[in-house]
């Protein structure tokens, strides 16, 4: 039996990734889960993010998914490696779980002339230093500067990303980042929620700086992965269907999720961690 590709996020952010997956790989079926009841993950401890993410991954496995994408930088930073190394080899060795940090780190320095790259992310992602490590792995000469933006996800999740109040926090963190090195010429939005803030971010970022979000990068990387791994691609169903699930209110998810996904959506409620 063929099965959909699982897409996981703490809440709505992964929908910005799913949107690009559907653009680049429209033939596949996708099962999306937002753990909205327990979001945001960005300020939670390593242990908590790991526990929540593993519960979500097990739920995808129970639904039959063979391939799960953690479309959340915080979950990728804090849970992916442990799941890949400690969980999958014990009873799940045919399953694959992939994240969004490595595919982004593989290409981000190609956007930069000065090789000075700024990373805006949640506190969890910044403190994990995953981007510092992964970008240096692929681009030894790159200089990476990070800034945590702890209030950006709550602003977005509460529909305040277009408000005047958002300007203060957007400007503050962009200035903090750029003060670390004025030669930064590329800013990576290393949180899947942040694309909703792009109109505000562009107002505060000098025009010579590139602002890069992850959707297209992750989608191109998954397309390449499926080509290189036909044994995994063959297990994935191709009817162009998407199913949306949330651990919180479906009416909230349908209303707010449509803003992230760019189309109307209809979700189902599920429980995690029971
Ligand atoms: N969308 C998640 C990410 O990419 C973070 C949101 C949260 O803090 O839950 O990091």
């Amino acid at each position: 039996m063929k099965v959909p590709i699982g897409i996981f996020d703490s809440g709505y952010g992964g929908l910005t990734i799913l949107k690009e997956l559907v653009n680049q790989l429209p033939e596949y079926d996708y099962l999306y889960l937002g753990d909205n009841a327990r979001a945001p993950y960005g300020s939670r401890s390593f242990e908590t993010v790991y526990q929540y993410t593993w519960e979500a991954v097990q739920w995808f496995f129970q639904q039959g998914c063979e391939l799960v994408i953690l479309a959340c930088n915080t979950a990728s930073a804090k849970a992916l490696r442990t799941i890949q190394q400690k969980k999958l080899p014990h009873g799940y060795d045919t399953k694959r779980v992939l994240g969004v940090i490595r595919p982004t780190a593989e290409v981000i320095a190609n956007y930069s002339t000065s090789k000075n790259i700024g990373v805006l992310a949640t506190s969890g992602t910044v403190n994990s230093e995953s981007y510092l490590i992964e970008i240096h792995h692929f681009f030894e000469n790159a200089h990476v500067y990070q800034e945590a933006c702890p209030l950006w996800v709550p602003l977005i999740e509460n529909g305040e990303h277009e408000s005047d109040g958002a300007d203060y926090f957007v400007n503050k963190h962009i200035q903090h980042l750029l003060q670390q090195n004025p030669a930064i010429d590329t800013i990576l939005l290393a949180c899947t929620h942040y694309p909703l803030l792009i109109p505000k971010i562009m107002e505060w970022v000098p025009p010579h700086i590139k602002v890069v979000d992850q959707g297209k990068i992750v989608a191109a990387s998954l397309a390449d992965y499926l080509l290189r791994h036909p044994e995994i691609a063959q297990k994935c169903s191709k009817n162009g269907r998407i199913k949306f699930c949330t651990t919180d209110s479906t009416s909230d998810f349908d209303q707010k999720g449509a803003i992230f996904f760019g189309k109307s959506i209809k979700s189902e409620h599920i429980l995690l961690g029971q």
Side-chain angles (χ1 to χ4, degrees):
M1 193 190 72
K2 299 204 177 201
V3 287
I5 299 171
I7 309 291
F8 175 67
D9 184 58
S10 60
Y12 300 110
L15 293 168
T16 64
I17 301 288
L18 179 59
K19 187 174 157 184
E20 288 301 333
L21 292 176
V22 174
N23 272 339
Q24 292 189 34
L25 295 163
E27 65 276 28
Y28 284 94
D29 296 337
Y30 300 96
L31 173 59
Y32 184 91
L33 174 61
D35 190 9
N36 299 76
R38 304 189 291 192
Y41 280 14
S43 45
R44 293 192 187 276
S45 69
F46 177 93
E47 290 73 19
T48 303
V49 174
Y50 169 66
Q51 182 202 323
Y52 288 179
T53 305
W54 176 233
E55 284 170 9
V57 168
Q58 284 175 289
W59 177 83
F60 281 108
F61 291 169
Q62 283 158 13
Q63 312 311 304
C65 293
E66 296 285 343
L67 172 63
V68 178
I69 313 292
L70 303 184
C72 174
N73 288 274
T74 312
S76 299
K78 293 190 163 195
L80 179 62
R81 186 152 301 178
T82 316
I83 289 174
Q84 286 174 334
Q85 292 177 354
K86 301 228 165 92
K87 292 294 184 186
L88 299 188
H90 304 286
Y92 307 96
D93 45 351
T94 61
K95 309 277 189 191
R96 295 289 177 273
V97 181
L98 306 175
V100 289
I101 294 180
R102 198 182 174 100
T104 308
E106 256 172 14
V107 298
I108 191 61
N110 296 333
Y111 291 80
S112 169
T113 307
S114 71
K115 303 299 175 208
N116 289 294
I117 297 152
V119 173
L120 297 170
T122 66
S123 309
T125 300
V126 165
N127 293 337
S128 76
E129 301 197 340
S130 298
Y131 273 102
L132 295 181
I133 298 162
E134 291 286 343
I135 295 174
H136 283 140
H137 176 76
F138 294 106
F139 301 94
E140 265 178 28
N141 301 328
H143 300 281
V144 182
Y145 304 89
Q146 306 191 97
E147 169 73 4
C149 313
L151 285 173
W152 285 17
V153 169
L155 276 171
I156 295 165
E157 292 261 330
N158 288 293
E160 292 290 332
H161 51 285
E162 288 173 348
S163 70
D164 293 343
D167 281 290
Y168 172 81
F169 291 104
V170 168
N171 182 30
K172 172 179 158 176
H173 291 302
I174 287 169
Q175 297 320 317
H176 283 179
L177 179 68
L178 297 180
Q179 276 159 14
Q180 294 182 51
N181 187 339
I184 290 172
D185 67 354
T186 302
I187 295 180
L188 169 65
L189 303 183
C191 171
T192 55
H193 279 66
Y194 294 175
L196 264 81
L197 277 173
I198 286 176
K200 284 262 181 252
I201 291 169
M202 298 314 279
E203 285 176 33
W204 296 104
V205 169
H208 69 280
I209 295 181
K210 285 190 199 112
V211 175
V212 182
D213 70 275
Q214 297 175 284
K216 289 188 174 63
I217 294 173
V218 172
S221 169
L222 182 62
D224 180 56
Y225 177 88
L226 291 169
L227 277 179
R228 286 185 292 109
H229 294 277
E231 76 288 1
I232 305 290
Q234 274 159 20
K235 295 178 183 171
C236 300
S237 53
K238 290 183 171 177
N239 304 296
R241 290 198 198 113
I242 312 173
K243 182 171 169 182
F244 299 92
C245 295
T246 175
T247 55
D248 205 358
S249 150
T250 53
S251 56
D252 282 357
F253 189 88
D254 297 352
Q255 195 197 336
K256 289 190 192 161
I259 301 168
F260 288 77
F261 191 54
K263 276 188 201 158
S264 66
I265 57 186
K266 186 117 195 69
S267 59
E268 285 177 26
H269 182 256
I270 68 110
L271 288 170
L272 283 181
Q274 294 303 295

